[in-house]
Amino acid sequence: MIPVNTPLLSGNELKYVSECIETGWISSEGPFISRFETQFAQYVNRRHGIAVANGSAALDIAVKGLGIGTGDEVIMPSFTIISPAQSVVTAGATPVLVDSDPVTWNMDVSQIEAKITSKTKAILVVHIYGLPVDMDPVLALCEKYNLKLIEDAAEMHGQTYKGKMCGSFGDISIFSFYPNKHITTGEGGMLVCNDENLVEQCKKLRNLAFEPKGRRFIHHELGWNYRMTNLQAALGVAQLEKIEYHIQRKREIGTSYSQKLKKLAGFQLPLEKTDYAENIYWVFGLVADSEEQQEAMVKKLAEAKIGTRPFFWCMHEQPVFKKMGLFENETYPVAEKLARNGFYIPSGLGLSDEDIDKVVSAII
Ligand SMILES: *Cc1c(COP(=O)(O)O)cnc(C)c1O
């Protein structure tokens, strides 16, 4: 079996985690937390990092931390993991969707302006599968309409847009360190930003909204326990030491698949580059010409013991949101096609060159 993801833990992971156990620092108190926060924030060119339990938790904090709530609208892509939409909905605000670009699979930024109303509070960009969103037009709209920018860079560690780090664009930006991301802490996430006040608010929300000053156990608002443990941060520090290699290896895997599959008829492959970025291939996705073609290929690959995953499912077609009366009669044809016809193949950092060849020959 070649699983769709295998992580790579080849550096100081064991050493640093052992240090936590030997010293007894296993909770969210402990020296690796601030080390990981400082080093990661510096890596993506931000002043502050706030380590949290996972990427979805980071989105909850980002939305609430910016003061987004009842009556507010947030513009985002329909084609995304549910996390950003869930954070907006649970904050009491409404996600307003746009379709995707058929070539980059990212939100079609030309559709944003028509969706801006007097209730719009923020644009939430989600960089998809290895290529960033075209940021310049988004930044121009945020400026023109005085909107906040939330950047979901969960799949974009080390990726750049016109030479600037992804994760450095948002008023607040988030990352995930789930095992299929470019660096992992098992479960984990990070918010990054430059604003002192926002950092204090996010740290408070991460820690049950305990007041930083004043008597403990008296609360003026609600937060979550979304703290990261020192054990996770120890993994993170070790992984960060290897990040350049991880990105290079992901690019090698992606480039290798691209070359070996370029004559494959009936399937669209990821775009290798745009004029603003080169793909870092968080995953290597294929989009079949038809849904039947997708189903047949996924079935054949399963028989050949090769793992696959379908693409994200559109937000406007989520039963949970339909039940809430959201997105009634809305349709986003590009996102719908990606969701139905798209799937990705093994591309984890633990994948060997022989594995790549096995996957390629099975596909062909
Ligand atoms: C992985 C991912 C998340 C969620 O991160 P978790 O750590 O799994 O909660 C959010 N957004 C995007 C785009 C992701 O790929």
Side-chain angles (χ1 to χ4, degrees), residues 53-57 59 80-81 83-84 126-128 152-155 174-178 180-181 187-189 282 312:
N54 55 66
S56 306
L59 284 160
T80 169
I81 191 167
S83 309
V126 184
H127 304 299
I128 300 282
D152 182 344
E155 307 172 358
I174 73 96
F175 288 87
S176 162
F177 305 116
Y178 189 69
N180 62 3
K181 314 291 180 177
E187 299 285 350
W282 172 57
F312 298 139

Side-chain angles (χ1 to χ4, degrees), residues 70-106:
T70 310
D72 296 330
E73 295 178 353
V74 178
I75 299 175
M76 67 173 70
S78 183
F79 184 71
T80 169
I81 191 167
I82 199 167
S83 309
Q86 166 165 323
S87 296
V88 168
V89 169
T90 54
T94 306
V96 172
L97 305 178
V98 299
D99 205 355
S100 304
D101 179 293
V103 183
T104 66
W105 308 338
N106 273 300

Side-chain angles (χ1 to χ4, degrees), residues 1-130:
M1 176 75 192
I2 302 180
V4 79
N5 180 60
T6 31
L8 184 65
L9 305 164
S10 62
N12 285 318
E13 288 83 358
L14 186 59
K15 178 164 173 250
Y16 295 163
V17 171
S18 299
E19 252 176 71
C20 299
I21 293 169
E22 282 157 9
T23 58
W25 288 110
I26 54 170
S27 76
S28 64
E29 305 273 318
F32 282 110
I33 303 277
S34 58
R35 211 167 131 188
F36 186 40
E37 288 175 334
T38 307
Q39 290 178 357
F40 189 80
Q42 197 170 26
Y43 177 72
V44 296
N45 213 1
R46 299 309 294 252
R47 259 182 244 140
H48 307 283
I50 303 141
V52 292
N54 55 66
S56 306
L59 284 160
D60 280 345
I61 293 177
V63 168
K64 197 162 179 203
L66 286 175
I68 293 165
T70 310
D72 296 330
E73 295 178 353
V74 178
I75 299 175
M76 67 173 70
S78 183
F79 184 71
T80 169
I81 191 167
I82 199 167
S83 309
Q86 166 165 323
S87 296
V88 168
V89 169
T90 54
T94 306
V96 172
L97 305 178
V98 299
D99 205 355
S100 304
D101 179 293
V103 183
T104 66
W105 308 338
N106 273 300
M107 71 197 291
D108 179 349
V109 297
S110 73
Q111 297 187 11
I112 296 174
E113 192 163 18
K115 299 271 177 154
I116 296 174
T117 71
S118 59
K119 293 180 180 169
T120 309
K121 192 87 179 265
I123 300 175
L124 196 162
V125 299
V126 184
H127 304 299
I128 300 282
Y129 294 167

